[in-house]
Amino acid sequence: MSKNSEIMREITPLSPEESFLVFDRVKKHFDFPLHYHPEVELNFIQKGKGVRRIVGDHVGEVGNIELVLIGPNLPHFWSDYRCKSKRIHEITVQFSADFFDQSFLKKRLLKPINDMYRESIRGILFSEEVAEKVKEPLMSLTKVSGFESFSLMMNILNELATSTNQTHLSSYSIDNETFVDEDDMKLIYDYLHSNFERKVTLDEIANHVNMSIVTFNRFIKKRTGKTFINYLNEIRVSYAARWLIEKDTSISEIAYKCGFNNIANFNKIFKTLKKCTPSDFRNQFTGIKKIE
């Protein structure tokens, strides 16, 4: 497979008139295929310790309680894996694709929520303390309607947006990065995503945004916290991780297609960023259901 359209695209039951839907259910199994959808999804899981969680190129396990925000079109998947519980409590909130585009969410007062939405393209795992704090409000969502449900949902979103110890799950978004404005960072982002498969020199990218090398190095470090080569390698490894999941192509071919000129260097950088070898990473996805 080569792109999101070859993973299952879930058609959610949200109608154009609805801002969000809430599903509260107790399940024996998690067995839905790897999928994506344009809606934003907030997923709460209790008594699901050992469930395997996959979000983008992230693989992990659920603890006793979990709360994850999944951004638009981000592939995700949960499976039983090591979970022994037969009463897994799941609450899922799905927001319409344009919920966060409403003008009132652009106001300064609600900036934390809007910022959280932009960050959700990588998936956000909230701390267990935060999950416990919003558990009762989430459960109450199924018992109220109308403006009361909207007000409660906004309070939950604000609580999440202003919480600490948030963890980005997918190492890098390769499709949906957003920018506050059309600044130089967007020019850099677009250029590197269009040219990552070949050698891109520091001089070339600096010229592309009309900066000296010194100015560019200072700019990229300030905006990303990384050197240029580290930023470029993260982009390359993100594509490699995605293709390791979606394609049957050999690891060496994927490495070269992602701009690495030798397999040893690719393996080293991949392991540094993903904490496992490319083959171990691919093996973690073996047996996961996909719709082609």
Side-chain angles (χ1 to χ4, degrees), residues 55-121:
V55 178
D57 60 9
H58 159 88
V59 182
E61 280 188 42
V62 172
N64 291 317
I65 189 170
E66 155 153 325
L67 187 63
V68 171
L69 185 65
I70 305 293
N73 299 317
L74 179 61
H76 54 287
F77 167 85
W78 278 264
S79 68
D80 292 342
Y81 197 45
R82 295 186 177 135
C83 183
K84 305 300 182 183
S85 173
K86 296 302 180 184
R87 291 190 57 81
I88 305 167
H89 187 192
E90 176 196 23
I91 300 175
T92 299
V93 184
Q94 290 184 335
F95 302 89
S96 63
D98 61 355
F99 179 86
F100 293 92
D101 289 332
Q102 299 179 65
S103 60
F104 79 93
L105 279 174
K106 309 299 182 184
K107 303 299 183 183
R108 185 180 306 166
L109 181 66
L110 299 176
K111 185 177 183 296
I113 294 176
N114 204 34
D115 289 344
M116 179 176 69
Y117 164 67
R118 287 201 300 271
E119 294 297 317
S120 73
I121 56 174

Side-chain angles (χ1 to χ4, degrees), residues 198-212:
R198 64 173 181 82
K199 182 178 180 180
V200 180
T201 66
L202 185 57
D203 186 62
E204 174 187 351
I205 189 63
N207 284 335
H208 181 68
V209 288
N210 297 313
M211 294 181 187
S212 69

Side-chain angles (χ1 to χ4, degrees), residues 41-60:
E41 182 172 289
L42 183 64
N43 200 293
F44 171 88
I45 301 172
Q46 189 174 34
K47 297 181 180 178
K49 186 174 183 180
V51 165
R52 172 181 266 183
R53 173 208 319 118
I54 291 175
V55 178
D57 60 9
H58 159 88
V59 182

Side-chain angles (χ1 to χ4, degrees), residues 164-273:
T164 57
N165 299 321
Q166 298 177 17
T167 302
H168 289 131
L169 295 178
S170 192
S171 64
Y172 198 87
S173 168
I174 64 176
D175 288 324
N176 300 307
E177 187 68 90
T178 57
F179 299 89
V180 175
D181 49 34
E182 299 291 314
D183 63 10
D184 287 332
M185 194 62 223
K186 177 168 173 55
L187 295 176
I188 293 166
Y189 175 91
D190 289 344
Y191 191 81
L192 294 180
H193 279 261
S194 297
N195 295 279
F196 69 91
E197 76 284 355
R198 64 173 181 82
K199 182 178 180 180
V200 180
T201 66
L202 185 57
D203 186 62
E204 174 187 351
I205 189 63
N207 284 335
H208 181 68
V209 288
N210 297 313
M211 294 181 187
S212 69
I213 290 178
V214 172
T215 301
F216 176 84
N217 279 334
R218 188 161 52 239
F219 176 83
I220 198 74
K221 184 70 173 180
K222 181 179 179 180
R223 290 298 296 270
T224 70
K226 306 174 182 72
T227 65
F228 165 65
I229 191 61
N230 286 342
Y231 181 67
L232 177 57
N233 280 338
E234 281 201 2
I235 292 174
R236 287 170 167 163
V237 167
S238 293
Y239 276 94
R242 175 169 172 173
W243 291 341
L244 285 166
I245 297 169
E246 298 179 358
K247 293 173 176 283
D248 294 326
T249 310
S250 71
I251 291 175
S252 59
E253 186 175 344
I254 287 175
Y256 289 114
K257 285 186 66 175
C258 288
F260 293 96
N261 55 17
N262 71 77
I263 191 68
N265 188 44
F266 169 67
N267 286 336
K268 179 181 178 181
I269 292 172
F270 190 98
K271 188 171 184 179
T272 297
L273 292 174

Side-chain angles (χ1 to χ4, degrees), residues 42 44 65 67 91 126-141 152 155-160:
L42 183 64
F44 171 88
I65 189 170
L67 187 63
I91 300 175
F126 299 96
S127 68
E128 289 192 0
E129 290 76 15
V130 170
E132 287 283 2
K133 190 171 185 178
V134 302
K135 177 176 69 174
E136 291 303 323
L138 280 171
M139 290 178 178
S140 297
L141 272 178
L152 182 56
N155 284 331
I156 291 170
L157 289 175
N158 185 65
E159 187 70 48
L160 299 181

